């Protein structure tokens, strides 16, 4: 049953997945093009969530609040002094 406050199911959106969330922000591009501007926007969202509890109660370890982004493969290949596996076959943190 569709809530009057949610749009109808379309594309990847399914209103059954809607739920309340405190301290969540989302920034994306529909083009899939990487840009520093997106990272800057995501960091702005994260800073603005501080009042919603997006900080750790113990300031030295945090609560996992952060941003998730694509692995910058081309940048890493230029920056590291060792060979990397094929793109998509490794992770960074």
């Amino acid at each position: 049953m569709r809530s009057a406050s949610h749009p109808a199911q379309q594309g990847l959106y399914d209103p059954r997945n809607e739920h309340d969330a405190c301290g969540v922000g989302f920034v994306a591009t529909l083009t899939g093009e990487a840009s520093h501007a997106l990272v800057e926007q995501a960091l702005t969202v994260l800073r603005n969530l501080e009042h919603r509890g997006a900080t750790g109660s113990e300031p030295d370890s945090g609560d996992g609040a952060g941003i998730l982004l694509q692995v910058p493969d081309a940048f890493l290949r230029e920056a590291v002094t060792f060979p990397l596996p094929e793109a998509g076959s490794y992770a960074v943190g």
Side-chain angles (χ1 to χ4, degrees):
M1 173 180 268
R2 182 168 94 85
S3 166
S5 65
H6 298 97
Q9 183 173 351
Q10 59 181 332
L12 296 175
Y13 174 76
D14 186 338
R16 293 177 298 178
N17 296 325
E18 289 290 342
H19 59 277
D20 290 337
C22 181
V24 173
F26 189 82
V27 177
T29 177
L30 298 177
T31 65
E33 188 175 334
S35 84
H36 187 71
L38 283 173
V39 174
E40 288 176 345
Q41 290 171 355
L43 292 172
T44 297
V45 169
L46 189 59
R47 281 190 298 271
N48 289 334
L49 290 174
E50 183 174 0
H51 73 284
R52 301 289 302 251
T55 59
S57 59
E58 199 282 296
D60 294 332
S61 63
D63 65 353
I67 63 173
L68 177 67
L69 49 103
Q70 294 172 316
V71 174
D73 183 68
F75 169 78
L76 291 174
R77 291 188 186 283
E78 290 181 20
V80 301
T81 59
F82 50 86
L84 291 171
E86 180 182 322
S89 298
Y90 67 95
V92 296

